Amino acid sequence: MKAIIDKAIPYIQGVLEPYAEVVYRDGREFTQEDVSDADMLIIRTRTRCNEALLASSSVKLIATATIGFDHIDLDYCARRDIKVTTAQGCNAAGVLQWVAAALALCSRREGWTPKERTLGIVGVGNVGRLVEEYARAWGFNILRCDPPRQEREGGDFRPMEEVVAGSDIVTFHTPLDSTTYHLINDRTLSLMRADATLINASRGEVAATEALLKASQTLLLDVWEQEPAINTALLEKALVTTPHIAGYSSQGKANATAAVIAAAAEHFSLPLKGWYPPQVQPATRRQISWEEMCQSIDNYCNLMEQSQWLKSRPEEFESLRNNYSYREEYF
């Protein structure tokens, strides 16, 4: 058995070696030759898994250590009987804490408290649910938009137009697909209050760069179109600018690696059930007051400091991302 693994996935080296021939590659440098005799690919978003890569391969499993799958041609994989798994939900708490840092930053700059603000959440899945849970406890009024959940569950979900028009702050946590590509566009921004705040920690292509460049709203961005080659004018315009690291906590990365190992163990009957990186202490969820969070969050996630890293070295986007010091989840 042979596995090709993105070398930037943490905690994974040595885990599969007793059971497979393992080759590590930069995520952007997987080739047809690499995968031709591989049984599994363990990847991140930087590896495009499509017919061009997989046509002559023997791949049976693609496990991505990410929550998204827009880098994988699912239809092609289904036709080839290639199983695809994701690490859904792995980094939800990490993204929550990045969003918390963003809210604390805006509160300090603008002088408001949660009870004075309406927070709109577009996409209320694994991440959005956590953001909703904590934001409600902190006192925010919440407006929610999630058409798939509304169709499945009913409940108090609103059309996106109503959410963005009625919110002081809107945070996006949608996957990237045909329905969410450029969801943030000129029309969306025209519906928002001119002095509102927009947070995007989902996928870069959820927002149209040209629309953001014309926006009057305050922008807090972790994701960018055309990563790692980002628009420098937008970089200068946005208040918060981080290199796609919102979910980069030690526990989130450990959860993702555990998920891809679990997928390999199940698919190939390997004795690795329940494996978790021994280097990482799993996080314990706890409630935290708004006051405690605001006082402590910069010790874990200082967004202004991290924004300056990227603003001063945009050409090093990928290096800043790959060498980011993972945060500890503390709530």
Side-chain angles (χ1 to χ4, degrees):
M1 184 165 61
K2 182 176 180 180
I4 313 295
I5 301 177
D6 185 322
K7 67 181 183 182
I9 295 174
Y11 316 125
I12 201 168
Q13 290 202 14
V15 179
L16 288 174
E17 276 80 348
Y19 315 103
E21 176 190 352
V22 178
V23 177
Y24 294 94
R25 288 281 184 268
D26 183 284
R28 291 182 176 277
E29 296 177 0
F30 281 46
T31 66
Q32 274 195 339
E33 183 179 0
D34 286 331
V35 308
S36 62
D37 60 345
D39 298 284
M40 71 176 109
L41 307 182
I42 298 181
I43 63 169
R44 301 184 306 150
T45 55
R46 295 307 190 232
T47 304
R48 309 297 300 183
C49 290
N50 51 26
E51 184 173 4
L53 180 68
L54 301 167
S56 60
S57 79
S58 56
V59 171
K60 304 174 184 66
L61 172 70
I62 298 172
T64 182
T66 63
I67 60 174
F69 47 79
D70 46 281
H71 51 299
I72 303 171
D73 186 336
L74 296 179
D75 291 337
Y76 179 78
C77 289
R79 293 196 301 272
R80 286 282 311 277
D81 198 29
I82 299 172
K83 183 176 178 61
V84 175
T85 68
T86 71
Q88 189 174 32
C90 66
N91 65 353
V95 179
L96 162 69
Q97 293 181 18
W98 187 96
V99 173
L103 295 173
L105 171 63
C106 291
S107 173
R108 288 194 296 268
R109 291 181 76 248
E110 299 165 14
W112 49 257
T113 62
K115 67 182 181 181
E116 299 171 310
R117 288 294 182 269
T118 294
L119 176 67
I121 305 172
V122 180
V124 197
N126 290 301
V127 174
R129 286 175 198 261
L130 269 185
V131 172
E132 178 189 0
E133 175 189 338
Y134 279 81
R136 282 194 190 280
W138 291 331
F140 286 92
N141 178 49
I142 303 293
L143 294 177
R144 307 182 302 166
C145 173
D146 193 308
R149 279 193 64 190
Q150 183 178 28
E151 185 176 342
R152 292 193 306 267
E153 306 166 20
D156 187 25
F157 294 97
R158 313 287 183 86
M160 189 187 75
E161 293 79 4
E162 184 178 338
V163 170
V164 300
S167 300
D168 302 291
I169 306 161
V170 184
T171 185
F172 286 80
H173 301 289
T174 67
L176 176 62
D177 57 30
S178 60
T179 67
T180 61
Y181 177 78
H182 283 185
L183 185 66
I184 303 168
N185 52 36
D186 287 331
R187 180 171 182 273
T188 304
L189 293 166
S190 73
L191 294 171
M192 291 181 67
R193 299 169 188 172
D195 61 351
T197 296
L198 185 150
I199 300 171
N200 187 17
S202 58
R203 284 290 187 270
E205 286 74 16
V206 167
T209 298
E210 292 305 314
L212 292 178
L213 286 169
K214 294 179 286 184
S216 64
Q217 292 80 11
T218 300
L219 306 178
L220 293 87
L221 305 175
D222 179 58
V223 290
W224 311 79
E225 282 197 288
Q226 308 299 323
E227 292 177 15
I230 59 178
N231 185 291
T232 54
L234 183 56
L235 185 69
E236 288 305 311
K237 177 184 176 68
L239 173 65
V240 165
T241 58
T242 53
H244 202 155
I245 48 76
Y248 273 32
S249 66
S250 295
Q251 291 79 12
K253 287 296 182 181
N255 295 341
T257 302
V260 296
I261 293 298
E266 179 180 356
H267 197 78
F268 296 105
S269 301
L270 304 178
L272 290 167
K273 183 178 180 180
W275 178 88
Y276 193 84
Q279 306 95 316
V280 179
Q281 178 68 35
T284 300
R285 300 273 72 78
R286 69 179 180 96
Q287 290 298 322
I288 185 172
S289 71
W290 173 255
E291 292 75 18
E292 182 189 350
M293 185 278 290
C294 287
Q295 290 167 6
S296 59
I297 192 68
D298 281 355
N299 295 327
Y300 295 85
C301 186
N302 188 321
L303 292 184
M304 293 310 293
E305 179 182 275
Q306 294 170 20
S307 295
Q308 282 306 119
W309 298 344
L310 186 57
K311 284 178 183 285
S312 64
R313 294 180 285 172
E315 72 283 357
E316 296 182 29
F317 184 102
E318 201 76 336
S319 175
L320 290 169
R321 188 181 190 219
N322 288 340
N323 295 296
Y324 183 79
S325 295
Y326 302 138
R327 308 184 301 273
E328 290 297 315
E329 295 176 13
Y330 74 109
F331 63 84

